[in-house]
Amino acid sequence: MIFGKIKPFLYLGGFYVLLSSLLRLILLFHPITTGHFDFIDIIRIFGIGFINDSLVFALASSFLALYFLFLSNSKFHRPWGWVILGLMVLAELYIAFYPNNIFRQYGGVVAELAMIFVGIKIICFALMLFLPKQRRLIRNINYFIIIFLYVLLIILNLVSEYFFWNEFGVRYNFIAVDYLIYTNEVIGNIMESYPVIPLFSVMILISLIVSYLIFRRTKEELEILPNISQKLGLLISFVIICSLGLFFLPKLANFQSKNNFTYELQSNGIERFAYAFSHNELDFFKFYPTLGIQKSEKLFLEDFKPPVLRRKINASGSEQKKNVVLISVESLSAEYLKHYGNQQNITPFLDSLADKSLMFTNFYATGNRTVRGLEALTLCIPPTAGESVIKREDNRNKFTTGSVFRSKGYNVEFLYGGYSYFDNMKSFFGNNGYQIVDRDSFLPQEVSFANVWGVCDEDMAKKAIKVMNAEAKSGKPFFNHWMTVSNHRPFTYPDGKIDIPGDIKSRDGGVKYTDYALRCFFAMAKKQSWYKNTVFVIVADHCASSAGSTELPIDKYRIPAIVFSEGFVKPQKFDGLMSQIDLMPTVFGLLNFSYESKFLGQDVFSDSYVPRAYIATYENLGYIRDQQLTIISAGKKIEQYTLQMEKSNWPDQYNINYKEILTKNQNRKLIDKTIAAYEATSYWLKHKNLDQ
């Protein structure tokens, strides 16, 4: 009996393996597949490919196995049917009306999707509970829908794999993972690039036909439902099969070939996607234009004095061992401050503090994620393709701002109101010599408000004062890096603190509450003995949004950065172009630190500084210099834009327009500079040249 239940899996699996093999054949003769294949290569492509596809489908079919495991008539018997239905209704009410439920904490459409899913389950369960005579019909409809979804996803995935190969000549990689993150841009590109409606119509029609054929040949499996022993056998079988899949798929991925096309063709796209998701570095040397590492190193380092990676920074004045508090503020775009034209008065404290500080008015974030900002402020290196170094496996013993402070006898700590395991922060900072103060460090009485991201910034400010007071008593100077959390979706914070209620969940409210929390922090800090001997550095970790009409809209990457120290740092504005990676080397310069540096950021007040900035997504790597933006992308693509800036009536506010330069007029020198910066950085990271 249990073996009869395997028929749906055999039909679906056979369909998937057949189409996957057909796709391999098509890709083998694709114009982009330029490799030479001998008989052994062909055997590898289709032999190993067949095994890969079979194991991947076995894992993917677990959802169908769960469906069969939960097939039962007994669950509709009294009182269990009523109990289950009641629990489902309570779950729907919880999602729909409880304002801080777990789904709404993440914002977007997550809560709506959860409501739809649970709502459909309620309807189906209720119909089968109250209409027992129609139970078989309803079960057949559900079964057909499941088969249809499997078939549609199989076809959709294989079509997607073809177009991905057509673009990059490889199976899914981190670029495909990136596509999930930038859905608006990707969907827009697909809509403009392909005949989406006809294509989807054909896929749906084929899926309906194939689903009907499979349904007609397997629907008798629902006539007699499996009993407990049969379900146990099915469960054990799938646990074994899935275990084999999880064990052998990584082994098969190690079957490399001298011909990269052979390796890519024998691979399975879904398995490659899962691998890319967990191994988050995009191979620069495989997908981006290169100059050769010797040329890139020389070209990149010529902007440094001396032009070497490890160089001695010699200060001209006496060293100032002042405490340093670096506050990286979540998602604080420049556009939120009055200094950049905002008229909503949502950052009154930061606007007032900026007038008393060294303010960098033409300052750009390296990326659009917190880990990118933390990377830029801690490692002081340009962003590299793929995921931030912070989230990579090899992220320990790097040359960091913390290591410079430690060499000067400082206590070094990272403060975060949430759980620092998120985004691998705990691993990164812990493995690079930082002591960590996070959500786990709080006593219950220290928390007045918290959401999914952590305690509110006001609570973190109070905790930070306690930490700094304790450090001050040690007799050693301290460097504390505090990462705020309140200006992050869902934008909830304590009521009664600002004039925007916390339950509105608006970004403006999140910005204004963080500004209020910083005011509270400085009010408390001013009463401490260590205050006048402290340099405060306030900077955004990244911009609030990076969507725009170009791949890298630089006006969206503009963020505020200020350095404040009463009686030490002279209030002034620095209008020169600079990158987020330059901030901490500039602070070291203000402190007159002499040290050996591997930073790729520079002190903007040094005679050798060359104005430029780096901005990037996971895939697009940008270089701003001499009023031009050069972008290199996967697929060895190069684009270049002229940046036209017009001063507005508001202080420090620029309107930035783009004009694409034709290929024949591209500035080759700036293209080489762009490639050199990213190629050299990628090489040094790969070969641990940027370690301590």
Side-chain angles (χ1 to χ4, degrees):
M1 174 65 182
I2 187 62
F3 294 101
K5 302 301 177 189
I6 294 178
K7 286 177 63 179
F9 299 95
L10 294 177
Y11 277 105
L12 283 171
F15 178 70
Y16 175 68
V17 171
L18 177 64
L19 286 193
S20 293
S21 300
L22 180 60
L23 176 65
R24 282 191 177 85
L25 186 62
I26 294 172
L27 298 181
L28 184 64
F29 292 99
H30 192 285
I32 205 173
T33 312
T34 55
H36 172 73
F37 305 96
D38 56 27
F39 179 74
I40 299 299
D41 288 325
I42 300 300
I43 295 297
R44 285 173 59 111
I45 288 170
F46 290 97
I48 296 177
F50 173 82
I51 300 172
N52 271 322
D53 295 340
S54 301
L55 293 174
V56 167
F57 179 79
L59 291 169
S61 64
S62 300
F63 297 101
L64 184 59
L66 286 174
Y67 170 76
F68 278 105
L69 288 173
F70 283 96
L71 284 178
S72 170
N73 282 322
S74 60
K75 63 186 176 185
F76 298 106
H77 297 165
R78 293 184 179 181
W80 300 116
W82 290 91
V83 171
I84 295 172
L85 182 61
L87 291 174
M88 287 182 174
V89 172
L90 287 175
E92 184 76 349
L93 293 174
Y94 166 77
I95 299 170
F97 298 109
Y98 187 66
N100 292 319
N101 70 69
I102 189 172
F103 300 103
R104 292 192 184 278
Q105 295 290 337
Y106 290 94
V109 298
V110 176
E112 286 72 17
L113 291 174
M115 284 178 60
I116 292 171
F117 176 77
V118 176
I120 292 173
K121 294 295 292 183
I122 289 173
I123 293 171
C124 291
F125 192 88
L127 288 173
M128 297 178 78
L129 177 64
F130 298 124
L131 302 173
K133 292 183 179 180
Q134 304 301 320
R135 198 170 290 165
R136 178 180 296 176
L137 174 62
I138 298 169
R139 188 175 284 127
N140 282 342
I141 294 173
N142 287 341
Y143 176 60
F144 178 82
I145 292 173
I146 291 171
I147 295 296
F148 171 75
L149 289 175
Y150 261 97
V151 173
L152 179 62
L153 289 173
I154 288 171
I155 294 175
L156 180 62
N157 172 67
L158 293 174
V159 171
S160 299
E161 282 200 59
Y162 172 80
F163 285 120
F164 195 85
W165 185 278
N166 190 61
E167 183 73 15
F168 299 107
V170 293
R171 295 285 191 177
Y172 292 144
N173 55 26
F174 195 76
I175 300 173
V177 179
D178 187 44
Y179 283 178
L180 285 183
I181 299 169
Y182 299 101
T183 52
N184 291 336
E185 292 85 347
V186 172
I187 292 173
N189 179 58
I190 292 172
M191 294 294 290
E192 292 180 6
S193 303
Y194 304 106
V196 173
I197 294 177
L199 186 61
F200 267 85
S201 298
V202 171
M203 286 193 292
I204 290 173
L205 179 61
I206 294 174
S207 298
L208 286 170
I209 294 172
V210 174
S211 299
Y212 173 73
L213 293 175
I214 295 176
F215 171 77
R216 195 176 66 177
R217 288 170 171 77
T218 60
K219 65 178 181 178
E220 69 272 10
E221 306 307 326
L222 301 181
E223 298 294 326
I224 302 175
L225 301 182
N227 55 37
I228 293 296
S229 61
Q230 292 165 342
K231 288 181 180 181
L232 184 61
L234 183 64
L235 177 61
I236 293 172
S237 300
F238 267 89
V239 168
I240 294 173
I241 292 172
C242 290
S243 299
L244 291 173
L246 292 172
F247 177 79
F248 282 108
L249 279 172
K251 304 293 184 185
L252 292 172
N254 292 328
F255 275 75
Q256 299 283 349
S257 171
K258 293 181 180 179
N259 185 342
N260 187 61
F261 280 115
T262 299
Y263 175 74
E264 294 291 344
L265 287 169
Q266 76 188 26
S267 300
N268 178 278
I270 296 174
E271 185 273 331
R272 290 287 86 195
F273 181 90
Y275 179 87
F277 193 84
S278 58
H279 296 73
N280 42 26
E281 183 178 356
L282 188 58
D283 191 339
F284 180 91
F285 302 94
K286 185 174 182 180
F287 296 105
Y288 290 80
T290 57
L291 301 175
I293 188 58
Q294 289 185 338
K295 182 177 180 180
S296 285
E297 285 182 325
K298 182 179 179 181
L299 193 58
F300 184 34
L301 290 172
E302 70 180 12
D303 290 337
F304 296 83
K305 291 184 180 178
V308 292
L309 177 58
R310 182 188 287 273
R311 57 199 180 279
K312 180 69 175 178
I313 306 296
N314 294 305
S316 57
S318 59
E319 188 170 278
Q320 302 291 314
K321 283 195 175 181
K322 290 183 174 290
N323 306 310
V324 177
V325 176
L326 169 61
I327 305 174
S328 47
V329 183
E330 175 68 45
S331 306
L332 187 68
S333 293
E335 64 191 51
Y336 293 127
L337 274 68
K338 184 178 180 180
H339 280 273
Y340 299 90
N342 190 290
Q343 301 180 49
Q344 298 173 283
N345 195 36
I346 56 176
T347 57
F349 174 71
L350 286 176
D351 285 320
S352 66
L353 190 65
D355 292 330
K356 308 169 189 174
S357 306
L358 165 59
M359 183 178 185
F360 302 103
T361 64
N362 202 16
F363 185 93
Y364 293 89
T366 58
N368 49 17
R369 290 283 313 281
T370 295
V371 285
R372 277 298 184 203
L374 295 177
E375 173 189 79
L377 296 169
T378 306
L379 300 177
C380 305
I381 61 172
T384 48
E387 188 56 274
S388 163
V389 175
I390 289 175
K391 296 187 71 174
R392 298 180 191 174
E393 292 181 7
D394 181 23
N395 67 3
R396 63 179 61 216
N397 299 322
K398 302 298 181 186
F399 184 78
T400 67
T401 53
S403 61
V404 173
F405 279 115
R406 284 200 315 277
S407 72
K408 300 293 183 180
Y410 280 64
N411 288 319
V412 175
E413 300 210 40
F414 176 67
L415 287 67
Y416 180 64
Y419 295 103
S420 58
Y421 63 77
F422 178 76
D423 263 351
N424 212 39
M425 290 184 285
K426 186 172 186 177
S427 170
F428 173 75
F429 285 103
N431 287 329
N432 284 285
Y434 287 70
Q435 298 298 312
I436 296 174
V437 178
D438 67 356
R439 183 70 170 84
D440 286 326
S441 307
F442 281 76
L443 299 172
Q445 60 269 27
E446 293 178 313
V447 181
S448 67
F449 183 92
N451 63 18
V452 67
W453 293 111
V455 302
C456 63
D457 287 344
E458 196 178 354
D459 288 345
M460 187 67 247
K462 295 174 183 177
K463 185 71 169 180
I465 294 294
K466 292 181 180 179
V467 170
M468 293 170 196
N469 284 340
E471 289 177 312
K473 291 178 181 178
S474 72
K476 297 172 63 177
F478 58 79
F479 167 61
N480 284 182
H481 185 169
W482 167 19
M483 178 69 223
T484 74
V485 301
S486 291
N487 182 29
H488 194 297
R489 192 177 299 277
F491 308 116
T492 56
Y493 45 84
D495 280 327
K497 303 295 183 177
I498 59 174
D499 56 4
I500 303 175
D503 57 1
I504 290 180
K505 299 182 180 179
S506 72
R507 182 178 287 278
D508 287 350
V511 172
K512 194 164 189 175
Y513 174 72
T514 292
D515 183 82
Y516 166 83
L518 291 175
R519 180 189 294 275
C520 294
F521 171 75
F522 274 85
M524 290 184 288
K526 201 165 187 177
K527 299 176 183 178
Q528 312 307 319
S529 60
W530 46 263
Y531 172 75
K532 289 189 176 181
N533 192 43
T534 301
V535 175
F536 298 91
V537 184
I538 303 177
V539 60
D541 64 337
H542 60 85
C543 47
S545 170
S546 60
S549 57
T550 61
E551 292 89 345
L552 295 172
I554 75 167
D555 53 324
K556 295 294 182 70
Y557 281 80
R558 199 175 186 200
I559 58 174
I562 62 177
V563 179
F564 171 79
S565 183
E566 206 172 286
F568 177 65
V569 175
K570 179 183 176 181
Q572 60 176 305
K573 289 187 175 69
F574 180 84
D575 297 324
L577 175 67
M578 66 182 291
S579 172
Q580 200 173 20
I581 72 173
D582 301 319
L583 183 59
M584 292 311 294
T586 300
V587 171
F588 291 141
L590 294 173
L591 294 170
N592 288 321
F593 275 9
S594 295
Y595 61 102
E596 271 202 350
S597 176
K598 287 187 176 181
F599 293 140
L600 305 181
Q602 301 182 54
D603 178 357
V604 299
F605 295 115
S606 66
D607 295 335
S608 60
Y609 175 68
V610 178
R612 83 287 169 261
Y614 304 92
I615 59 176
T617 62
Y618 288 82
E619 177 188 352
N620 300 310
L621 307 174
Y623 183 72
I624 307 168
R625 183 166 173 171
D626 298 337
Q627 299 296 302
Q628 290 187 307
L629 167 64
T630 306
I631 302 174
I632 57 175
S633 305
K636 303 185 185 298
K637 297 177 184 176
I638 301 172
E639 293 178 296
Q640 204 166 59
Y641 298 88
T642 295
L643 305 177
Q644 298 175 335
M645 299 186 182
E646 297 178 356
K647 194 80 178 274
S648 75
N649 294 327
W650 284 91
D652 313 317
Q653 172 70 14
Y654 294 86
N655 295 319
I656 303 173
N657 300 315
Y658 299 91
K659 179 182 178 183
E660 188 171 356
I661 299 176
L662 297 175
T663 303
K664 62 180 181 180
N665 295 324
Q666 284 185 337
N667 186 324
R668 187 65 224 184
K669 180 180 177 181
L670 287 181
I671 290 174
D672 287 349
K673 279 286 189 182
T674 304
I675 296 171
Y678 288 111
E679 182 176 6
T681 304
S682 299
Y683 178 86
W684 290 330
L685 280 172
K686 186 175 182 179
H687 292 83
K688 301 183 183 300
N689 298 73
L690 297 175
D691 289 5
Q692 291 186 48

